[in-house]
């Protein structure tokens, strides 16, 4: 594998190319990105202007006012639009004939003196791939993880330089583009939890797959999709909201999957004294489940997002096989109440040493999971022999029996009491086997729209016989 260029080599390659010319507008973390270009030498060949509008009044006069937060995507997009338009207006008739214009911008909130804020930011670049060409654009959201402000500023400068270089030299290879963003960095210092490609150069790029790539590369631990299947920043949709999470493989989504969601919302809303419509319900899939099924295929991943979205569900893909890590993730968003709906099998995993995988062992893991605002709901299971498994006959390790009784007594664990008994024979692995084997009857185990889509698009290993559905 070819070694990455040094930071100075990247900046110098842009400065000396004699075809790139643009603006750096940075708010919140100093002119850390522009600094790399100035220090590399030859910056007069690439930089038209740098600006840092720290004062809010000055910033408002330049880019307009915001409703609420200033470290947000709308602010970044205004900065990119205005700065690029100024380049075209003031330099289009001169440099515009033989230069590719670009505008880099970021709006960030690095760690404050009291360390009470979330250190994060938006950055992006709007650019041309040839003089006078249509505009393309890449936007990312980052979380800075270093414990000191100066270290975070350093990270911002590096990732901003990497983004600039990738836009100008790696735009034809989105996977290499994404991997390059952490050149000279590692995931202990920075999380990149959102990316969006747009414009002429990226018409064929599926942003859902690009965000999945962030997860595969461990650049982030969770990505989220709204009901329309669009990639969204989880914090924007979940911050200080009551959240109910239902984990599953959803391969495919079954009638039981949606009964778990429906009954979970009803129980959770009642317990926290809220209206059902005020609860944010999320279908969650852990990437460890996707990996366990073999290599993660793009079609298989996308169809689950599409099917769940079509049924009105937000989808969260995470790298959290353990539930306590999922609870820690939502704690970061200050959710007032968190509900988890689990099947019996998944719930039993909580009480295994393999599940813990944390300093302090299983007790520490359970302590992180069962915070005061977390409640777990257990959805029953009926075995092939007809045995109904619930909290009452659930077996846990003997040494954890008293702890299990304590959690039940504290009402942090409860059965889902109102459920559809006629659906308990349905589970995803059985439906999947029937689909692959072309066995009749599976269509009645999934929502009608899911059955229709699977048949029409030959999904989940459907044999898709031509002519008869069940040939002799």
């Amino acid at each position: 594998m070819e070694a990455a260029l040094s930071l100075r080599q990247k900046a110098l390659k842009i400065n000396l190319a004699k075809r790139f010319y643009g603006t750096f507008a940075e708010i919140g973390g100093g002119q850390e990105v522009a600094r790399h270009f100035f220090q590399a030498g030859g910056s007069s060949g690439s930089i038209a202007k740098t600006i840092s509008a720290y004062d809010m009044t000055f910033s408002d006069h330049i880019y307009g006012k915001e409703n609420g937060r200033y470290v947000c995507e709308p602010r970044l997009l205004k900065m990119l639009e205005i700065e690029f338009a100024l380049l075209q207006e003031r330099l289009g008739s001169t440099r515009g004939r033989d230069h590719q214009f670009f505008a880099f911008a970021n709006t960030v909130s690095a760690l404050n003196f009291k360390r009470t804020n979330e250190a994060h930011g938006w950055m992006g670049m709007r650019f041309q791939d040839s003089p006078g060409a249509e505009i393309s654009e890449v936007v990312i959201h980052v979380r800075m993880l270093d414990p000191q402000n100066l270290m975070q500023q350093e990270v911002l400068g590096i990732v901003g330089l990497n983004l600039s270089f990738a836009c100008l030299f790696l735009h034809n290879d989105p996977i290499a583009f994404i991997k390059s963003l952490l050149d000279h960095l590692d995931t202990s210092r920075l999380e990149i939890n959102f990316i969006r490609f747009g414009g002429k150069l990226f018409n064929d790029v599926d942003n859902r797959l690009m965000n999945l790539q962030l997860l595969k590369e461990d650049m982030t631990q969770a990505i989220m999709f709204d009901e329309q299947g669009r990639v969204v920043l989880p914090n924007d949709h979940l911050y200080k909201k009551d959240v109910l999470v239902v984990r599953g493989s959803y391969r495919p989504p079954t009638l039981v999957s949606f009964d778990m969601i429906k009954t979970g919302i009803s129980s959770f809303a009642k317990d926290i004294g809220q209206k059902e419509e005020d609860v944010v319900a999320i279908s969650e899939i852990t990437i460890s489940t996707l990996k366990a099924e073999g290599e993660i295929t793009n079609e298989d991943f996308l169809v689950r997002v599409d099917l769940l979205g079509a049924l009105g569900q937000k989808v969260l893909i995470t790298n959290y096989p353990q539930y306590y890590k999922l609870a820690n993730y939502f704690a970061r968003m200050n959710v007032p109440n968190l509900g988890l709906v689990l099947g019996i099998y998944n719930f039993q995993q909580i009480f295994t040493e393999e599940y813990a995988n944390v300093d302090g062992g299983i007790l520490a893991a359970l302590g992180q999971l069962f915070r005061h605002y977390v409640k777990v709901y257990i959805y029953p299971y009926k075995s092939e022999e007809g045995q109904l498994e619930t909290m009452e006959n659930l077996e846990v390790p003997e040494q954890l029996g008293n702890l299990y009784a304590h959690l039940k007594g504290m009402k942090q664990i409860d059965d889902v009491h109102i459920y559809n008994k006629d659906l308990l024979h349905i589970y995803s692995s059985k439906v999947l086997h029937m689909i692959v084997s072309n066995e009749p009857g599976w269509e009645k185990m999934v929502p009608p729209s899911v059955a229709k889509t699977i048949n029409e698009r030959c999904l989940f290993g459907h044999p898709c016989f031509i002519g008869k559905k069940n040939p002799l």
Side-chain angles (χ1 to χ4, degrees):
M1 182 177 177
E2 187 177 347
L5 296 176
S6 71
L7 298 174
R8 184 174 185 274
Q9 286 173 325
K10 285 189 174 187
L12 198 59
K13 187 171 181 177
I14 293 173
N15 283 347
L16 300 183
K18 299 187 183 302
R19 69 179 191 272
F20 307 121
Y21 207 66
T23 294
F24 291 90
E26 305 182 63
I27 297 178
Q31 292 190 309
E32 297 302 320
V33 181
R35 177 174 61 83
H36 284 283
F37 291 87
F38 288 129
Q39 291 182 341
S43 57
S44 62
S46 64
I47 296 180
K49 180 184 75 173
T50 68
I51 182 173
S52 292
Y54 277 87
D55 184 88
M56 190 177 296
T57 302
F58 272 86
S59 182
D60 286 346
H61 276 284
I62 299 170
Y63 303 117
K65 292 186 177 182
E66 294 296 327
N67 293 321
R69 296 175 297 170
Y70 277 70
V71 181
C72 59
E73 186 180 13
R75 187 57 160 195
L76 175 75
L77 297 179
K78 288 178 184 176
M79 295 170 70
L80 291 172
E81 181 178 355
I82 289 172
E83 295 299 341
F84 199 92
L86 286 175
L87 283 169
Q88 293 179 311
E89 176 188 331
R90 296 173 181 175
L91 301 176
S93 60
T94 54
R95 291 186 181 270
R97 289 172 292 182
D98 52 11
H99 282 80
Q100 299 166 221
F101 288 152
F102 69 84
F104 175 93
N106 65 39
T107 173
V108 303
S109 174
L111 197 64
N112 63 26
F113 183 75
K114 295 182 178 180
R115 302 187 179 188
T116 57
N117 65 317
E118 180 190 6
H120 73 114
W122 289 89
M123 63 175 60
M125 194 164 182
R126 185 168 289 191
F127 62 100
Q128 298 170 318
D129 66 319
S130 62
E134 293 181 36
I135 298 169
S136 297
E137 179 180 278
V138 181
V139 169
I140 65 174
H141 181 267
V142 301
R143 293 180 65 242
M144 294 84 76
L145 307 178
D146 282 317
Q148 297 179 3
N149 181 283
L150 288 176
M151 296 173 70
Q152 292 186 359
Q153 291 185 39
E154 177 189 35
V155 165
L156 287 169
I158 295 172
V159 70
L161 172 58
N162 288 340
L163 176 61
S164 302
F165 185 87
C167 286
L168 299 178
F169 290 103
L170 300 176
H171 53 257
N172 290 324
D173 188 345
I175 302 300
F177 185 116
I178 288 175
K179 291 182 176 181
S180 76
L181 294 177
L182 285 189
D183 284 352
H184 311 290
L185 291 170
D186 62 62
T187 54
S188 69
R189 303 192 67 188
L190 181 77
E191 177 186 357
I192 303 175
N193 57 5
F194 176 92
I195 189 166
R196 189 184 67 250
F197 294 83
K200 169 200 168 189
L201 290 174
F202 306 117
N203 284 335
D204 297 328
V205 172
D206 191 321
N207 282 308
R208 297 174 297 176
L209 295 178
M210 295 302 100
N211 282 269
L212 178 64
Q213 191 66 31
L214 294 178
L215 203 61
K216 289 181 179 179
E217 300 291 338
D218 287 325
M219 293 182 178
T220 188
Q221 299 303 309
I223 56 175
M224 184 172 167
F225 305 87
D226 66 11
E227 296 87 340
Q228 285 74 46
R230 298 172 299 200
V231 185
V232 294
L233 192 65
N235 205 63
D236 287 349
H237 287 253
L238 305 178
Y239 185 68
K240 292 189 175 181
K241 299 287 181 66
D242 295 312
V243 176
L244 179 80
V245 179
V246 184
R247 172 171 289 183
S249 69
Y250 298 103
R251 192 173 190 253
T254 66
L255 293 175
V256 164
S257 304
F258 288 91
D259 195 51
M260 291 176 73
I261 296 169
K262 177 183 175 182
T263 57
I265 292 174
S266 176
S267 298
F268 184 53
K270 182 179 179 181
D271 287 344
I272 64 176
Q274 298 291 344
K275 297 177 181 178
E276 291 187 18
E277 56 266 30
D278 292 331
V279 172
V280 180
I282 300 174
S283 297
E284 186 252 354
I285 306 170
T286 174
I287 198 171
S288 61
T289 299
L290 294 175
K291 289 177 178 176
E293 296 160 0
E295 182 64 26
I296 303 173
T297 63
N298 290 345
E299 183 183 30
D300 187 278
F301 165 76
L302 292 176
V303 74
R304 292 190 230 191
V305 174
D306 288 342
L307 289 173
L308 288 166
L311 292 164
Q313 286 299 299
K314 293 180 174 64
V315 182
L316 188 71
I317 313 293
T318 75
N319 200 15
Y320 297 128
Q322 294 93 355
Y323 288 104
Y324 74 87
K325 292 183 179 180
L326 193 63
N328 290 339
Y329 173 76
F330 286 106
R332 222 172 61 207
M333 300 178 199
N334 294 322
V335 299
N337 296 285
L338 175 64
L340 300 175
V341 183
L342 310 179
I344 286 286
Y345 172 74
N346 286 336
F347 181 73
Q348 286 178 315
Q349 288 181 311
I350 292 176
F351 294 91
T352 64
E353 289 299 333
E354 292 81 4
Y355 164 81
N357 191 27
V358 65
D359 290 340
I362 194 166
L363 290 179
L366 290 172
Q368 292 182 53
L369 170 58
F370 288 103
R371 301 162 185 259
H372 67 91
Y373 57 85
V374 177
K375 183 157 184 178
V376 173
Y377 298 90
I378 302 176
Y379 193 87
Y381 170 78
K382 181 182 286 187
S383 67
E384 292 184 0
E385 295 75 27
Q387 174 69 33
L388 187 66
E389 297 183 23
T390 67
M391 267 179 55
E392 297 309 314
N393 56 4
L394 174 68
E395 294 185 5
V396 300
E398 183 178 352
Q399 66 272 25
L400 296 173
N402 289 336
L403 176 59
Y404 178 53
H406 170 73
L407 293 171
K408 287 198 295 183
M410 294 294 291
K411 301 296 184 183
Q412 288 197 267
I413 307 174
D414 199 0
D415 278 318
V416 171
H417 296 289
I418 303 174
Y419 55 88
N420 190 334
K421 296 180 176 63
D422 295 332
L423 302 179
L424 294 183
H425 65 289
I426 300 173
Y427 43 96
S428 289
S429 59
K430 177 181 178 180
V431 176
L432 182 62
H433 176 76
M434 294 175 71
I435 292 172
V436 173
S437 304
N438 198 39
E439 293 182 26
W442 65 265
E443 287 98 334
K444 296 180 180 179
M445 300 180 181
V446 301
S449 63
V450 172
K452 183 174 184 290
T453 304
I454 291 173
N455 280 323
E456 290 178 349
R457 294 171 56 182
C458 306
L459 303 174
F460 302 120
H462 193 304
C464 280
F465 292 106
I466 299 176
K468 293 182 180 180
K469 184 74 183 298
N470 295 287
L472 298 176

